[in-house]
Amino acid sequence: MTQNNLNVFEEHESEVRSYVRGFPTVFHKAKGYKMWDLDNKEYIDFFSGAGALNYGHNDENMKKKLLEYIQEDGITHSLDMASKAKGEFLEKFHEIILKPRNLDYKVMFPGPTGANSVESALKIARKVTGRTNVVSFTKGFHGMTIGALSVTGNAFKRAGAGVPLNNATPMPYDNFMEDTDQSIKYIERMLDDSGSGMDKPAAFILETVQGEGGLNVARMEWLQEIEKICRKHDILLIVDDIQAGVGRTGTFFSFEPAGITPDIVCLSKSIGGNGSPLALTLIRPDYDRFAPGEHNGTFRGNNFAFVAAAEALNYWKDDRLEKNVQDKSKRIQEFLDDLIEKHPNMKGTHRGRGFMQGIASEVEGFSDRVTDRCFTHGLIMETAGPSDEVFKLFPPITIDDEGLEKGLAIIEKAVTEVVREKDLVTT
Ligand SMILES: *Cc1c(COP(=O)(O)O)cnc(C)c1O
């Protein structure tokens, strides 16, 4: 391919393709927070592969390790046989991530995608408790397979299943009800009263910050209350940290500041380091009860991903990266608050925390227009929420000041242009 046009995709690729429609160009190179298309136009990446590229593109150290590994004929595919690359990843994950956080989990490799991890987590919870029902939360997103969709909120995505989605009960997430106290009270009442009609669930599954659902943040107190309810009723707590984990909110796991200990944690997206497909299901040891092979998958042992993932864990040996995210998160929040104040016509509300923040606009189509404008001006950013009402800033967590400021300037320019668009209906 030398010409930058989309003919081949339009002709041969299924209608289901989506991001190519929002970012209609052919990309061919990327480094750190930058991407280039075939015309050599440069883009700042405030999308980060929807959270799969937290460390940016083509990290030098990960690249070096991968090139060495390939050069040495390191094993590529090995199902779940023991490989050196996997052993090294497991060792480092234990030493650098779990041990210092006092977390005791068995690591399961459920297959390479986030949905694989969610499916395995649901299976474990049902197997351990012998119950079928699972409590999910409004606006939650957990993936596109049938089990994962059954605990996902979005009506459009659910309808894609084509079969009834069963064995799940949706409950109000924190801030779903106007009165924030209502969520916990409602959930408690439904569980406590044997006349509520709800089957006792095997598990609660939740995100601490809802990524696809529109950057809705659960308060730490809410997460603590949820954990208490789970303990009281002997229900497993599954935290889906596929998008919010691996540093996105400023700590390795998004639930760390709440001080809770989930029974199962789903990880994927950035755990593979450089965008390599990898997923983990972290299981409390006494719930590690699958028989050998009871859940499997051909691509559980992606050794390239293990190599990059093990290298990526070096970022967590000290607190420099964490501090980078925490400091720059404040800058992002200030920028967004300021933008909301400057442009009341946007009818915006701040959403999210850490490096997953954005603005929800009540003006129909506003956020889509902003991301379109950003693309024109050389910035990749997506929308989130059930009506795409949120524009979502997702820079790599390794970004420097210069990259961040350049990106924010493009967003400011785009918003300023969109609020002036004559056909924008703001009433
Ligand atoms: C992306 C995502 C998933 C699904 O991961 P896939 O790799 O797309 O299957 C599940 N849960 C959350 C919170 C996600 O953001």
Side-chain angles (χ1 to χ4, degrees):
M1 264 198 93
T2 49
Q3 292 281 329
N4 189 3
N5 75 55
L6 296 169
N7 294 350
V8 65
F9 307 96
E10 280 154 15
E11 200 172 328
H12 298 300
E13 193 179 349
S14 156
E15 285 302 312
V16 78
R17 67 191 189 280
S18 65
Y19 285 121
V20 61
R21 300 174 196 269
F23 313 122
T25 191
V26 182
F27 293 103
H28 79 128
K29 273 185 70 152
K31 186 76 183 167
Y33 61 83
K34 293 176 184 166
M35 297 172 79
W36 291 272
D37 69 11
L38 275 179
D39 299 325
N40 272 324
K41 179 172 170 185
E42 186 178 298
Y43 296 86
I44 292 175
D45 187 0
F46 268 32
F47 173 47
S48 301
L53 291 162
N54 281 2
Y55 308 104
H57 298 265
N58 293 314
D59 178 275
E60 270 311 297
N61 295 331
M62 293 183 216
K63 188 171 85 180
K64 191 161 154 269
K65 282 280 155 63
L66 278 168
L67 288 171
E68 279 168 16
Y69 191 78
I70 293 169
Q71 196 66 42
E72 288 162 7
D73 288 323
I75 193 145
T76 303
H77 183 264
S78 51
L79 287 149
D80 72 347
M81 286 184 267
S83 72
K84 180 167 173 272
K86 183 185 195 171
E88 285 172 1
F89 170 75
L90 278 169
E91 237 164 43
K92 281 183 95 171
F93 190 73
H94 183 74
E95 285 304 313
I96 300 174
I97 303 299
L98 296 182
K99 217 165 109 186
R101 291 169 180 76
N102 256 322
L103 293 169
D104 188 13
Y105 290 120
K106 285 298 193 82
V107 180
M108 171 180 178
F109 299 100
T113 71
N116 290 134
S117 176
V118 168
E119 293 291 343
S120 68
L122 297 174
K123 280 191 194 176
I124 293 164
R126 288 176 173 135
K127 188 179 166 80
V128 164
T129 59
R131 300 172 213 141
T132 54
N133 191 28
V134 170
V135 162
S136 61
F137 288 90
T138 49
K139 302 200 187 174
F141 177 81
H142 299 287
M144 290 305 216
T145 49
I146 301 295
L149 274 177
S150 73
V151 287
T152 287
N154 187 296
F156 171 66
K157 298 210 162 86
R158 288 176 66 86
V163 294
L165 296 170
N166 297 322
N167 304 310
T169 306
M171 286 286 169
Y173 192 70
D174 195 13
N175 300 328
F176 184 72
M177 314 293 286
E178 240 169 73
D179 174 356
T180 48
D181 286 343
Q182 280 178 343
S183 157
I184 293 290
K185 280 190 193 143
Y186 178 72
I187 295 166
E188 274 179 332
R189 189 96 182 86
M190 289 298 281
L191 285 166
D192 283 339
D193 192 325
S194 60
S196 72
M198 183 169 80
D199 293 327
K200 184 168 178 174
F204 282 17
I205 184 166
L206 60 88
E207 302 152 88
T208 67
V209 182
Q210 296 181 323
E212 303 303 302
L215 302 179
N216 310 303
V217 179
R219 289 165 301 145
M220 300 305 156
E221 309 87 82
W222 187 84
L223 293 169
Q224 289 155 1
E225 288 301 321
I226 290 288
E227 184 185 48
K228 269 191 219 148
I229 293 173
C230 285
R231 301 290 166 249
K232 177 176 165 200
H233 292 273
D234 206 15
I235 295 164
L236 272 64
L237 176 59
I238 304 170
V239 171
D240 176 349
D241 228 7
I242 291 168
Q243 189 161 149
V246 194
R248 184 51 58 188
T249 63
T251 48
F252 185 86
F253 294 106
S254 68
F255 54 81
E256 287 176 46
I260 60 168
T261 312
D263 299 295
I264 302 176
V265 181
C266 301
L267 279 184
S268 184
K269 294 212 162 92
S270 279
I271 191 66
N274 66 340
S276 293
L278 181 66
L280 314 183
T281 312
L282 307 179
I283 312 162
R284 206 175 104 170
D286 49 330
Y287 294 155
D288 183 26
R289 295 202 213 144
F290 272 140
E294 195 175 352
H295 181 101
N296 68 16
T298 307
F299 291 107
R300 278 166 300 159
N302 183 340
N303 286 284
F304 292 161
F306 290 141
V307 170
E311 180 57 35
L313 293 178
N314 289 337
Y315 274 112
W316 298 95
K317 280 186 169 166
D318 57 41
D319 63 359
R320 268 181 303 174
L321 183 61
E322 273 187 355
K323 276 197 63 59
N324 189 51
V325 181
Q326 287 161 10
D327 292 346
K328 293 200 172 73
S329 300
K330 286 186 205 132
R331 168 68 186 123
I332 297 172
Q333 167 133 26
E334 277 163 22
F335 167 80
L336 293 174
D337 288 343
D338 185 49
L339 207 57
I340 290 166
E341 210 181 287
K342 269 193 212 155
H343 299 290
N345 274 355
M346 155 167 85
K347 297 193 178 137
T349 335
H350 175 267
R351 291 277 183 86
R353 68 179 174 96
F355 261 41
M356 48 194 310
Q357 298 185 53
I359 290 178
S361 168
E362 280 171 47
V363 180
E364 206 188 313
F366 186 87
S367 293
D368 270 328
R369 290 188 193 210
V370 170
T371 55
D372 285 353
R373 285 275 175 163
C374 283
F375 178 73
T376 309
H377 297 313
L379 179 112
I380 309 285
M381 179 170 74
E382 73 164 333
T383 57
S387 345
D388 293 319
E389 70 277 18
V390 180
F391 62 88
K392 177 180 173 193
L393 284 66
F394 242 61
I397 62 175
T398 50
I399 200 165
D400 58 17
D401 281 322
E402 190 192 342
L404 183 64
E405 291 306 324
K406 270 194 197 163
L408 298 181
I410 294 176
I411 294 170
E412 170 131 37
K413 182 172 167 183
V415 167
T416 310
E417 286 171 4
V418 173
V419 290
R420 287 191 198 132
E421 281 176 11
K422 294 233 164 24
D423 59 332
L424 188 75
V425 185
T426 58
T427 47

